[in-house]
Amino acid sequence: MRLVILGPPSSGKGTQASMISDRFGIPHLSTGDILREEVSLRTDLGVRAEVFLKEGELVPDDLVVQMMKNRLLRRNRVEGFVLDGFPRTIHQLKALDKITTIDKVLFVEVKDEEVIARAVGRRICQKCGRIYHMRFDPPEVDEICDVCGSRLIQRDDDKEATIKRRLRIYRRQTVPLIKVYEKRGILVVVDGNGTIKETKRNVLRALAWSEGQDR
Ligand code: AMP
């Protein structure tokens, strides 16, 4: 199964992609996670990408395409994958078409107000990476990680001004991809406004439904 998961920033697509990955035994490829890892390892790519991540801007297409091409060609021949955060522009979509075919595209739909509330409340442990939410999943002690006792921080790209900019970029650069995949008949829309559990149910239902359609 070769899946793409699309949606606004903070739509929970990473959480759902990782659930799909466990459930169907396919690797979860998240461009955001890969880029953050490159940044923390101070690789050439990471150093070039850092400012874009910090500002909530898209990393230039050529860097992201090259990075994903290497990973996809390795995965392609095996068991499939779930792509999270790629493609994000029409240029990336066309580049992806040249690398592999995609079976399904899940579009996780979430309202802007919900996106903003989710992003500004999110905290991450700077040591172990555990993610919390001040409203939905707070730590026992304010701003301190339950697991390792380190301080929680807010990711730069979760700050309110940055998330609003990311939403504008999403509308301009990524929303046009929805039409393209819809025309190809491989788009499935999922309501992502509810809880993680509700969205999970919607995702699994959508996948079963769309697989049923193939038969
Ligand atoms: P995410 O974790 O998917 O929200 O991505 C975090 C950040 O990584 C984005 O705001 C961009 O700066 C960068 N990024 C992730 N995926 C892409 C992509 N496909 N193209 C360009 N930049 C990306």
Side-chain angles (χ1 to χ4, degrees), residues 115-183:
V115 162
I116 293 166
R118 287 182 189 180
V120 297
R122 188 156 53 193
R123 297 290 181 278
I124 181 165
C125 172
Q126 52 185 347
K127 192 154 172 226
C128 73
R130 159 84 153 91
I131 293 171
Y132 296 85
H133 194 282
M134 303 321 280
R135 206 169 84 202
F136 311 121
D137 181 21
E140 278 176 23
V141 181
D142 217 21
E143 307 286 342
I144 300 291
C145 178
D146 294 345
V147 180
C148 72
S150 301
R151 255 214 118 61
L152 304 184
I153 53 163
Q154 187 180 38
R155 250 168 56 179
D156 283 326
D157 56 354
D158 284 338
K159 304 237 162 92
E160 187 163 348
T162 316
I163 190 74
K164 285 186 171 160
R165 186 176 328 127
R166 293 181 73 200
L167 271 171
R168 283 197 295 275
I169 293 169
Y170 165 75
R171 267 193 291 274
R172 202 171 53 232
Q173 308 259 61
T174 310
V175 165
L177 278 60
I178 295 165
K179 276 255 152 355
V180 176
Y181 286 129
E182 194 176 20
K183 273 197 193 135

Side-chain angles (χ1 to χ4, degrees), residues 4-213:
V4 164
I5 185 155
L6 273 182
S10 291
S11 55
K13 56 187 191 314
T15 306
Q16 298 303 328
S18 118
M19 180 277 290
I20 293 170
S21 158
D22 290 346
R23 184 117 183 176
F24 297 95
I26 51 176
H28 170 197
L29 297 176
S30 154
T31 41
D33 286 351
I34 298 169
L35 285 165
R36 279 185 288 275
E37 194 187 340
E38 300 275 346
V39 171
S40 69
L41 294 173
R42 311 300 305 156
T43 62
D44 264 7
L45 168 63
V47 170
R48 290 165 76 188
E50 187 170 19
V51 58
F52 299 99
L53 267 89
K54 219 172 173 146
E55 299 293 326
E57 302 279 340
L58 292 187
V59 174
D61 282 335
D62 54 338
L63 290 183
V64 178
V65 166
Q66 195 51 48
M67 174 182 99
M68 292 313 285
K69 194 171 173 182
N70 297 336
R71 284 176 166 77
L72 279 168
L73 289 176
R74 254 184 276 150
R75 304 283 187 189
N76 202 16
R77 277 166 279 143
V78 213
E79 61 292 68
F81 46 76
V82 50
L83 272 181
D84 157 20
F86 184 85
R88 248 174 161 110
T89 64
I90 290 287
H91 179 92
Q92 292 178 16
L93 183 152
K94 288 183 180 158
L96 178 61
D97 282 344
K98 289 195 190 131
I99 303 170
T100 184
T101 50
I102 296 299
D103 302 318
K104 293 279 174 270
V105 177
L106 282 182
F107 169 42
V108 183
E109 210 169 27
V110 181
K111 291 194 216 92
D112 284 7
E113 313 89 82
E114 182 63 26
V115 162
I116 293 166
R118 287 182 189 180
V120 297
R122 188 156 53 193
R123 297 290 181 278
I124 181 165
C125 172
Q126 52 185 347
K127 192 154 172 226
C128 73
R130 159 84 153 91
I131 293 171
Y132 296 85
H133 194 282
M134 303 321 280
R135 206 169 84 202
F136 311 121
D137 181 21
E140 278 176 23
V141 181
D142 217 21
E143 307 286 342
I144 300 291
C145 178
D146 294 345
V147 180
C148 72
S150 301
R151 255 214 118 61
L152 304 184
I153 53 163
Q154 187 180 38
R155 250 168 56 179
D156 283 326
D157 56 354
D158 284 338
K159 304 237 162 92
E160 187 163 348
T162 316
I163 190 74
K164 285 186 171 160
R165 186 176 328 127
R166 293 181 73 200
L167 271 171
R168 283 197 295 275
I169 293 169
Y170 165 75
R171 267 193 291 274
R172 202 171 53 232
Q173 308 259 61
T174 310
V175 165
L177 278 60
I178 295 165
K179 276 255 152 355
V180 176
Y181 286 129
E182 194 176 20
K183 273 197 193 135
R184 290 185 190 176
I186 56 171
L187 188 84
V188 192
V189 184
V190 171
D191 181 355
N193 288 287
T195 61
I196 292 177
K197 237 180 164 173
E198 285 161 351
T199 306
K200 175 180 170 182
R201 210 176 308 129
N202 296 339
V203 165
L204 290 175
R205 203 178 297 136
L207 282 176
W209 176 79
S210 55
E211 272 163 20
Q213 284 227 316

